[in-house]
Amino acid sequence: MTLETGRRGLVAGLTGMDVSGHNVANANTPGYTRQRVVLSASEPYTEPSLGKPEEPLQLGTGVTVEQILRVRDRFLDGQIRTELHSLGNWETQKDALSEIETVFMEPSENGLNNLISQFWADWQELSRNAENSPIRSVLVQDSVTLANSINHTYSLFETIKTDQQELANLHIKDINSKARQIAALNQQIVNIKAAGDQPNDLMDKRDLLLDELAGLVNYTLTENDNGSVNVDMGSENLVDGSDYITIAAIDWAANPDPWSGGPYDQVTGGNLNGIKDILAKLQTCEDDLDTLAGNLITEINGVHAAGYGLDGSTGVEYFTGTGAADIAVNGDIVADPGKIAAAAISDAPGNGVNALAIAGLQNSSITGLGGTSFGGYYKNMIARLGVETQESARMVDNQQALVDQLSNRKESISGVSMDEEMTNIMQYQYAYMGSARVISTLDSMLDTLINRMAV
């Protein structure tokens, strides 16, 4: 009996040192969870029965290693993943909104606000010197610059949109990859648990994948009795035990709004939701710029066509196109600035009344712009974008602080403390040495009993 007690003590000591050594070796491993040996006293001898010895006592039989436990708070894991859903969403929006804000280049000399202001100032100057050719040439060149800038801004929006769409498919590919890996780990974990062992390191790998997945998309996690987990993205069952599904990449040409149906209709968090929101905000920016350009074309052409150029021409439109994508200065005017209809009457080419009327549009309430002026409408666009950009930056900071706080709490529970592990190693070492001394002493006693006692 004493021999068995010593043997069990040796096993417990060795197991404890192995686990502590494993903890120390993985102290800096991402996703690693501190492990702890759970010990309990083994069944005493003898058990109550009719045939037990008459001595009124039970002898302890040593220690048993019940399990090697991961020290982890599952509720805290859920909190962190919920906040990672939000953090991934706002990080994506922050990056994209900062890029959109850069496109406008406001405030700067090259920004649209400065170009629009210069455009109106040129018309004002022309109204005072309607026959001046250099002034007309300057107006044409500034108008071309304004139109080109609007075209370029719109094309940059389209480029950002395309980039975000491609990024969405990259995230979908990553989601599929992680679902496949989680399903494979599920199968291994189930098999190992069925054999009576504890697959702690595999469960760490799975949890790390679940944390990374939380930054990509929102999901619901269900833990099964056999040790596997199910991962559901809305109505889509990404992982069901060892089974998984592969979500098809989005065909943006065939399905420009994938969020209203299919596997993505319940996306509410993570990087994927950030792309969903940023595409909507980007579309608003495009629509606003298109509305601004369209009304600029319509309002100026309406006044310009009623005026007269230096050659007496009339009915000439100043801009061509319908919106931000194709606004341009009339090629005839570019070739001959004398066709600019600055005059209100045909027989007075020096009359700048029509140019003054066009300049007056700067501060007019434009029905197509909701009753605001051109400048006011554009400033509202920039102000809204600025607010959204600041909000995204603030939300990223707030969410990062919250994730860091929860992660620090998790680290205090699941992280490896080198001082604690060194203490544990010493305790297990002394326990091992003590058990070895028990066996050594028992060996000496048996040697005395068997070999040295006289017959």
Side-chain angles (χ1 to χ4, degrees), residues 321-339:
T322 59
D326 59 359
I327 183 175
V329 180
N330 189 325
D332 293 338
I333 292 177
V334 173
D336 181 9
K339 292 186 179 295

Side-chain angles (χ1 to χ4, degrees), residues 12 42 45 48 62 65 90 98 157 191 206-207 257 327:
S42 57
Y45 179 81
V65 179
W90 287 111
S98 297
F157 286 161
N191 292 339
R206 187 178 65 185
D207 280 328
D257 184 22
I327 183 175

Side-chain angles (χ1 to χ4, degrees), residues 130-150:
E131 294 182 283
N132 189 297
S133 293
I135 292 177
R136 285 174 174 265
S137 296
V138 169
L139 171 59
V140 169
Q141 291 304 314
D142 286 345
S143 299
V144 169
T145 300
L146 174 60
N148 289 343
S149 182
I150 293 174

Side-chain angles (χ1 to χ4, degrees), residues 38-210:
V38 179
L39 303 175
S40 66
S42 57
E43 292 294 330
Y45 179 81
T46 61
E47 297 181 2
S49 66
L50 292 176
K52 79 178 187 66
E54 295 182 0
E55 289 82 358
L57 55 82
Q58 282 188 319
L59 296 175
T61 59
V63 65
T64 296
V65 179
E66 292 284 345
Q67 63 175 320
I68 299 174
L69 182 70
R70 287 198 312 159
V71 183
R72 197 171 183 110
D73 187 333
R74 307 305 297 174
F75 177 72
L76 190 57
D77 286 343
Q79 285 184 300
I80 291 174
R81 287 164 188 160
T82 298
E83 300 308 328
L84 285 173
H85 296 331
S86 183
L87 178 60
N89 169 41
W90 287 111
E91 282 181 334
T92 297
Q93 292 198 52
K94 176 188 174 183
D95 293 343
L97 286 169
S98 297
E99 189 175 358
I100 295 172
E101 199 172 42
T102 302
V103 168
F104 280 109
M105 295 186 294
E106 299 291 357
S108 73
E109 292 183 0
N110 297 321
L112 276 178
N113 186 54
N114 188 61
L115 296 178
I116 292 173
S117 297
Q118 185 59 50
F119 174 75
W120 297 121
D122 289 345
W123 281 106
Q124 190 74 37
E125 183 65 22
L126 182 62
S127 70
R128 293 191 288 265
N129 301 278
E131 294 182 283
N132 189 297
S133 293
I135 292 177
R136 285 174 174 265
S137 296
V138 169
L139 171 59
V140 169
Q141 291 304 314
D142 286 345
S143 299
V144 169
T145 300
L146 174 60
N148 289 343
S149 182
I150 293 174
N151 298 155
H152 184 59
T153 299
Y154 189 86
S155 68
L156 288 176
F157 286 161
E158 286 293 301
T159 298
I160 295 174
K161 178 190 294 184
T162 300
D163 290 344
Q164 290 296 313
Q165 291 172 345
E166 291 178 354
L167 183 59
N169 280 331
L170 287 175
H171 288 326
I172 291 169
K173 183 177 180 181
D174 201 7
I175 290 170
N176 287 333
S177 173
K178 285 179 171 49
R180 182 169 60 253
Q181 293 177 68
I182 291 170
L185 286 169
N186 271 345
Q187 183 62 59
Q188 296 179 60
I189 289 169
V190 169
N191 292 339
I192 293 173
K193 288 181 74 72
D197 294 324
Q198 187 69 15
N200 289 330
D201 294 330
L202 292 179
M203 294 172 75
D204 282 346
K205 291 181 180 180
R206 187 178 65 185
D207 280 328
L208 182 59
L209 286 170
L210 289 169

Side-chain angles (χ1 to χ4, degrees), residues 141-292:
Q141 291 304 314
D142 286 345
S143 299
V144 169
T145 300
L146 174 60
N148 289 343
S149 182
I150 293 174
N151 298 155
H152 184 59
T153 299
Y154 189 86
S155 68
L156 288 176
F157 286 161
E158 286 293 301
T159 298
I160 295 174
K161 178 190 294 184
T162 300
D163 290 344
Q164 290 296 313
Q165 291 172 345
E166 291 178 354
L167 183 59
N169 280 331
L170 287 175
H171 288 326
I172 291 169
K173 183 177 180 181
D174 201 7
I175 290 170
N176 287 333
S177 173
K178 285 179 171 49
R180 182 169 60 253
Q181 293 177 68
I182 291 170
L185 286 169
N186 271 345
Q187 183 62 59
Q188 296 179 60
I189 289 169
V190 169
N191 292 339
I192 293 173
K193 288 181 74 72
D197 294 324
Q198 187 69 15
N200 289 330
D201 294 330
L202 292 179
M203 294 172 75
D204 282 346
K205 291 181 180 180
R206 187 178 65 185
D207 280 328
L208 182 59
L209 286 170
L210 289 169
D211 290 344
E212 293 171 352
L213 184 62
L216 291 169
V217 71
N218 57 290
Y219 63 81
T220 301
L221 184 70
T222 304
E223 297 187 11
N224 301 316
D225 293 338
N226 62 1
S228 66
V229 297
N230 293 351
V231 180
D232 300 314
M233 186 183 74
S235 60
E236 292 292 329
N237 190 206
L238 294 179
V239 179
D240 183 4
S242 60
D243 297 325
Y244 65 93
I245 65 169
T246 299
I247 303 174
I250 299 173
D251 184 351
W252 293 97
N255 187 15
D257 184 22
W259 318 111
S260 59
Y264 309 108
D265 60 347
Q266 297 184 56
V267 171
T268 59
N271 299 133
L272 205 55
N273 188 72
I275 293 176
K276 170 185 173 182
D277 288 347
I278 205 63
L279 286 174
K281 292 176 180 178
L282 187 59
Q283 188 61 52
T284 298
C285 286
E286 282 192 351
D287 292 344
D288 288 347
L289 186 63
D290 202 45
T291 298
L292 178 69

